[in-house]
Amino acid sequence: MLSAASRPYIDASVPVLREHGLAITRHFYASMFDAHPELRNLFNMGNQASGAQQQSLASAVFAYAANIDNAAALGPVLERIVHKHVSVGITPSHYPIVGRHLLGAIKDVLGEAATPELIAAWDEAYWLLAGELIAAEARLSERSHAPLGMLRELIVADVDRETDHVVSYYLRTPEGGSPGDFVPGQYVSVSVTLPDGLVQRRQYSLSDAPGAPHWRITVKREDADVAKPAGQVSNWLHAHLKAGDRIMVSPPYGEFTPRLDAAHPLVLLSAGVGITPMMSMLAELAAKGSRRDIVFAHAARNGSHMALRRHIAYAAKQLPHLRVVTFFETPQDTEREGADFTHAGRMDVAHLSLPANADYLLCGPVPFMQTQWRALRDAGVPAERLHREVFGPDALDHLL
């Protein structure tokens, strides 16, 4: 618990961080990478280039300060961060480096306003958080029977092009077997060495049932646009990874793992490549012969952008109480509403005939999840029945 002496300084920091947080985090990353260039292999440099990581850390520091005594709010977020840290290889040795450069950035940006008392309060707050994360990461590593940051070599058994922008990779052990068990909704980290020598890890949801004789990841190639550069790892995978190749992969992690054996209805809402963890859940429900009422609703630009369609169709044959609803924002001229897709336009939960007492799972771009979350809450769905998967630097957004 934060000391009584430090608490007023943390409280007073909230408006300061709202105003200067982005300047602090930009200075922090620049300083840390200058002193420790090897850490570029640990951080997502695509998010660094787009500015998303700096903005996210600024939001995270602000959210932590604003909720430092709210364990109910911070707990689920910290659990998500713990899984991400273990999957990318964060170890206890990294925390002193981060702490030193973060406090240094606060001093440099705030200048005289960064009094010794304020810095001491943030030093205390940082190490309270770091201690929680270090302990939780050690526990997760022990439960996973894997050292922090562990990778192992897997073989690409097959490659399946789902769409022009999405490819599925089927992974097996070098002996030809399944890499092991996992829980639907989990992801793995894939590590690649890029042409410039930079090593990067990216997280991809497992998109098949745990009982399959392989792991399947389904990867969207991220093209450049005005808001972000092209995805380095996804483009490398699409260009280079082929059947027979070897790739380094982490154990499965992630806490987006709802109970699938419950009796009440289940609603799965996804957009774009957010379909991947939902497909894993659907495949598992089909493999177990579930009798649950299930709504599987997916939004895509059009049919040429919708991955895993035949796998959804196969699952539908095994699930008598499954209803599949598709939303195509800009259908192609050859696609007909009611035949190739269910509704034209963006996803609208008003079209879903929401079942009573259902659990709702959301995965997709952050704006999509924010829109559906608000719509479901407006429709009377309790917040405790809403669950979402967050990839990228957005884990604390809902606390702001």
Side-chain angles (χ1 to χ4, degrees), residues 143-366:
R143 292 198 305 271
S144 304
H145 305 291
L148 291 170
M150 187 192 89
L151 297 168
R152 60 172 169 157
E153 188 177 74
L154 297 179
I155 303 294
V156 180
D158 196 10
V159 178
D160 187 8
R161 179 162 293 280
E162 304 279 351
T163 73
D164 287 345
H165 289 78
V166 179
V167 171
S168 287
Y169 300 96
Y170 291 76
L171 308 177
R172 297 193 183 215
T173 65
E175 296 75 31
S178 167
D181 200 15
F182 64 93
V183 181
Q186 289 189 309
Y187 56 80
V188 294
S189 280
V190 173
S191 178
V192 303
T193 302
L194 299 170
D196 61 1
L198 184 68
V199 179
Q200 291 280 273
R201 293 193 193 191
R202 294 294 185 271
Q203 290 70 51
Y204 299 106
S205 292
L206 293 157
S207 62
D208 209 345
H214 53 253
W215 284 354
R216 183 177 68 205
I217 58 171
T218 302
V219 179
K220 177 187 175 186
R221 187 183 74 238
E222 298 292 347
D223 295 331
D225 61 30
V226 294
K228 58 179 176 59
Q232 292 176 295
V233 175
S234 64
N235 276 271
W236 188 93
L237 292 173
H238 276 237
H240 298 287
L241 196 62
K242 60 187 183 299
D245 286 349
R246 295 168 182 259
I247 188 125
M248 301 304 293
V249 182
S250 79
Y253 294 107
E255 79 320 320
F256 186 59
T257 52
R259 283 189 55 191
L260 297 179
D261 59 354
H264 50 267
L266 179 64
V267 179
L268 307 174
L269 307 180
S270 61
V273 79
I275 198 172
T276 53
M278 307 306 198
M279 187 65 245
S280 178
M281 296 176 198
L282 196 66
E284 175 70 352
L285 288 162
K288 300 295 186 184
S290 175
R291 308 294 292 182
R292 290 183 81 170
D293 288 325
I294 306 165
V295 177
F296 188 98
H298 182 69
R301 187 176 305 171
N302 53 50
S304 70
H305 286 77
M306 183 172 174
L308 302 167
R309 295 186 79 173
R310 74 177 187 278
H311 302 288
I312 297 170
Y314 178 80
K317 294 178 181 178
Q318 320 301 318
L319 294 166
H321 303 293
L322 170 66
R323 181 159 49 95
V324 177
V325 185
T326 50
F327 295 82
F328 287 177
E329 185 173 355
T330 55
Q332 300 177 99
D333 292 340
T334 56
E335 293 173 328
R336 294 183 299 109
E337 189 172 72
D340 299 292
F341 61 96
T342 316
H343 299 288
R346 297 187 176 186
M347 183 179 291
D348 184 347
V349 298
H351 292 307
L352 296 181
S353 301
L354 300 175
N357 301 317
D359 280 334
Y360 293 80
L361 309 180
L362 289 72
C363 189
V366 170

Side-chain angles (χ1 to χ4, degrees), residues 123-145:
D123 184 62
E124 180 185 343
Y126 173 78
W127 281 106
L128 279 174
L129 175 61
E132 287 186 48
L133 292 175
I134 290 169
E137 288 155 14
R139 292 192 296 269
L140 177 57
S141 177
E142 184 176 355
R143 292 198 305 271
S144 304
H145 305 291

